[in-house]
Amino acid sequence: MMIFATLVERFYAALAAWGIPWIVPTLVVMVIVVSVVLAYISVAAMFMIWWERKISAHIQVRYGPMRVGGWHGWAQSIADGIKLLLKEDLIPTGADKVVFVLAPMVVFGATVAAYVTIPWAPGLIVRDLNIGILYMVSISSLVVVGIIMAGWSSNNKYATLGALRSAAQAVSYEVPLVLSLLGPVMIAGTMSMGKLVEAQSGRWFGVLPGWFVFPQIVAFLTYFTCALAECNRLPFDIPEAESELVAGFHVEYSGMRFAMFFLAEYANMFVVSAIATTLFLGGWHGPWIPLPGLPREVAHGLFGLVWFQVKCYFLIFVMMWLRWTLARLRVDQLMGFAWKVLLPISFANLIVTGLVLILGKHALLYVGGIAILLLVAILLAARPAARTVRVGERT
Amino acid sequence: MAADYAYVGFFLVVGVLFVILNIEILSRIIRPHNPNPQKLTTYECGEEPIGIGWIRFHVRYYLYALVYIVFAVETVFLFPWAIVFRELGLFAFLEMMVFIGILLVGLAYAWKKGALEWA
């Protein structure tokens, strides 16, 4: 979609010809871009909330929202949004008011900033930072700071526990998450999101698409598991476990303040899916045909836009599907899994990838990946079954 | 380059402004505001809250944080290496393996000492 770049160039040139200082068109373009992104985030989050309710309902043989708006309750999220807008805003007397008010801003600001480097389509990216993927990971890990602020400032025992658990979980899963992202970065030799997608344009063995998910299947599975934990999604939703912590860190938030957390949570789900799509699933690559009456470039861009969305929403669907398939992990299992299973796996993947790339035999990547998978399967199968503790027994 | 990070800063600021617009301006105009002491207490399942919410918590959270700090710094080191290690060749690869090896010894020590157990 170089067409946008051309339009922006022309806009700059036209205003420069009129003698208007460069800061004016720059700001105008920035405001337009950020408005489009914010509109996308809001609409996508509302769609995802409705979609999750429908998926949840259909998995449980219910219908879910059916009435609001007519067709399958499509306007349910809009109605909920208006309801939240009209709700009274309560800040508990015991709370640390400044931090309490700042927390949703930190969470939402960090989430929005992560959208800067999402490659939507060929050439359509807000800014292709040269440290793209590192930037994405670091800015989205800021969200956990906001969560701790929210939990701690509430002066509520449930909120404090939820925030602490969230912090412990986020730091534990951050390490294998970042290590698993190193695999594609090593193959492509770049951190820029746009170039990472371009590096996946070829084909493996002339048949498979050149997506990094094939040689890096171990890294992809590790990343997706960690991403679930980073988003506090089931089976890793210990920080919000409804049955024990009510709502976790946002138990004291009401009305629009809660809505901002909710919006950021769904926007964050899109961010982690976009990272997975970009690094492992080939980004905007996919079969495309030139559309009649459109320049080739525009047709390619449109197809790319659609493919990227399809892949992202497929991953989001998997996240929602897992929610109703897996049970919540216990906290000791959760922490143990990050440090004792995922961290060694991602180190093994890193070492095998590096070794194969140094030796220059790409085909070996598959052998290495399969070997790691087999090893893990054997280790997990050979592990002694956890001892069940009977009621009344002393441990 | 500077323009790139101007966008990052702009997105952060606009994200915060969006929250302020929604909560402090848009919602403030239309929402009701009649607080009472019961509404403003901390939620504790309908009971009077006992003590404050800023409770002491278990030391194991600190242990995880300490182990994390070691690996967080290390992963940042790994990114520049991952980009150029093919040009630097076998020597850089082996050097990084030594670095990772030292860290893995640290992990093994923490594991053996029970720092990774949620007990």
Side-chain angles (χ1 to χ4, degrees):
Chain A
M1 292 248 177
M2 300 307 275
I3 199 149
F4 284 110
T6 329
L7 272 179
V8 171
E9 293 286 318
R10 281 211 194 131
F11 179 66
Y12 282 151
L15 285 193
W18 284 15
I20 296 167
W22 62 273
I23 191 85
V24 177
T26 314
L27 274 177
V28 169
V29 170
M30 272 178 157
V31 169
I32 292 172
V33 166
V34 83
S35 312
V36 171
V37 169
L38 272 178
Y40 179 81
I41 292 175
S42 312
V43 173
M46 287 207 281
F47 165 71
M48 279 189 261
I49 292 165
W50 171 82
W51 201 34
E52 168 143 46
R53 290 179 66 172
K54 289 307 264 189
I55 291 171
S56 312
H58 281 274
I59 288 177
Q60 298 176 330
V61 206
R62 295 184 284 121
Y63 285 122
M66 281 303 277
R67 288 168 192 262
V68 188
W71 186 80
H72 286 266
W74 65 272
Q76 184 68 51
S77 296
I78 300 169
D80 285 347
I82 294 168
K83 181 197 77 179
L84 284 169
L85 203 63
L86 291 166
K87 286 285 174 190
E88 186 174 357
D89 174 51
L90 293 171
I91 301 178
T93 15
D96 185 339
K97 285 201 176 55
V98 178
V99 183
F100 191 88
V101 169
L102 279 175
M105 297 177 193
V106 173
V107 171
F108 196 76
T111 311
V112 173
Y115 279 73
V116 170
T117 52
I118 292 182
W120 302 95
L124 186 64
I125 176 168
V126 177
R127 279 286 140 164
D128 198 0
L129 299 183
N130 56 359
I131 55 157
I133 183 62
L134 188 62
Y135 164 78
M136 287 280 267
V137 174
S138 44
I139 202 91
S140 49
S141 67
L142 268 183
V143 170
V144 82
V145 177
I147 288 179
I148 296 170
M149 283 167 71
W152 190 253
S153 67
S154 295
N155 195 0
N156 177 313
K157 293 178 191 88
Y158 298 118
T160 308
L161 277 175
L164 282 172
R165 283 181 182 187
S166 180
Q169 177 177 317
V171 298
S172 299
Y173 281 85
E174 190 86 16
V175 179
L177 181 132
V178 176
L179 284 177
S180 63
L181 293 177
L182 275 168
V185 171
M186 282 160 89
I187 301 179
T190 175
M191 284 194 276
S192 127
M193 298 292 265
K195 285 185 188 136
L196 272 162
V197 178
E198 275 157 29
Q200 300 175 60
S201 59
R203 289 199 175 274
W204 300 108
F205 311 122
V207 205
L208 292 169
W211 304 351
F212 290 149
V213 67
F214 298 112
Q216 290 290 323
I217 179 75
V218 181
F220 175 67
L221 293 177
T222 319
Y223 171 77
F224 197 66
T225 315
C226 296
L228 285 174
E230 290 280 305
C231 286
N232 297 334
R233 299 282 308 174
L234 267 147
F236 305 108
D237 76 332
I238 291 261
E240 292 173 34
E242 302 98 324
S243 46
E244 38 189 292
L245 288 185
V246 194
F249 66 90
H250 57 60
V251 66
E252 288 295 350
Y253 283 81
S254 59
M256 217 48 206
R257 280 186 218 282
F258 163 74
M260 285 296 126
F261 278 119
F262 208 47
L263 199 63
E265 196 178 310
Y266 280 87
N268 215 16
M269 270 169 74
F270 184 82
V271 170
V272 295
S273 308
I275 295 179
T277 308
T278 310
L279 264 77
F280 296 103
L281 296 181
W284 32 257
H285 286 301
W288 67 283
I289 43 163
L291 293 172
L294 276 178
R296 268 181 79 81
E297 209 173 60
V298 177
H300 188 199
L302 282 178
F303 271 97
L305 202 59
V306 172
W307 276 118
F308 188 79
Q309 298 293 320
V310 166
K311 289 170 188 173
C312 280
Y313 283 99
F314 171 73
L315 287 179
I316 291 168
F317 170 73
V318 173
M319 285 180 169
M320 294 172 178
W321 183 10
L322 284 175
R323 176 174 172 187
W324 299 105
T325 309
L326 300 172
R328 183 182 298 140
L329 287 176
R330 226 168 44 211
V331 67
D332 59 324
Q333 295 168 331
L334 179 96
M335 303 303 275
F337 187 62
W339 290 105
K340 295 175 187 171
V341 181
L342 288 181
L343 189 60
I345 291 176
S346 45
F347 266 122
N349 181 60
L350 181 72
I351 292 166
V352 169
T353 310
L355 207 59
V356 170
L357 287 176
I358 282 289
L359 295 176
K361 299 267 195 304
H362 280 253
L364 274 174
L365 273 176
Y366 295 89
V367 183
I370 293 163
I372 296 173
L373 269 185
L374 276 178
L375 198 70
V376 171
I378 291 167
L379 281 178
L380 283 179
R383 211 172 46 160
R387 213 168 64 90
T388 43
V389 180
R390 278 184 296 280
V391 179
E393 187 188 1
R394 302 187 72 179
T395 49
Chain B
M1 271 319 288
D4 288 354
Y5 292 97
Y7 266 89
V8 173
F10 194 68
F11 267 62
L12 273 171
V13 170
V14 171
V16 172
L17 285 179
F18 183 75
V19 175
I20 294 173
L21 173 82
N22 272 316
I23 297 174
E24 310 297 345
I25 299 169
L26 205 63
S27 175
R28 170 154 294 177
I29 297 168
I30 51 178
R31 74 189 169 207
H33 182 68
N34 30 21
N36 64 41
Q38 276 74 41
K39 264 188 206 170
L40 291 176
T41 49
T42 312
Y43 173 73
E44 217 163 285
C45 299
E47 302 282 327
E48 285 282 314
I50 298 166
I52 57 165
W54 292 311
I55 43 176
R56 279 198 292 177
F57 51 88
H58 203 283
V59 69
R60 62 197 167 203
Y61 289 103
Y62 287 107
L63 283 179
Y64 283 109
L66 282 175
V67 182
Y68 167 69
I69 285 171
V70 176
F71 283 96
V73 174
E74 179 227 346
T75 47
V76 173
F77 277 135
L78 280 170
F79 267 97
W81 165 78
I83 288 179
V84 293
F85 86 107
R86 267 196 275 187
E87 287 140 50
L88 297 178
L90 193 60
F91 181 71
F93 178 72
L94 290 178
E95 203 168 287
M96 204 37 119
M97 287 307 113
V98 172
F99 179 61
I100 291 175
I102 293 168
L103 278 157
L104 284 180
V105 172
L107 179 72
Y109 178 74
W111 195 331
K112 187 136 194 305
K113 279 284 173 185
L116 306 182
E117 303 296 331
W118 191 275

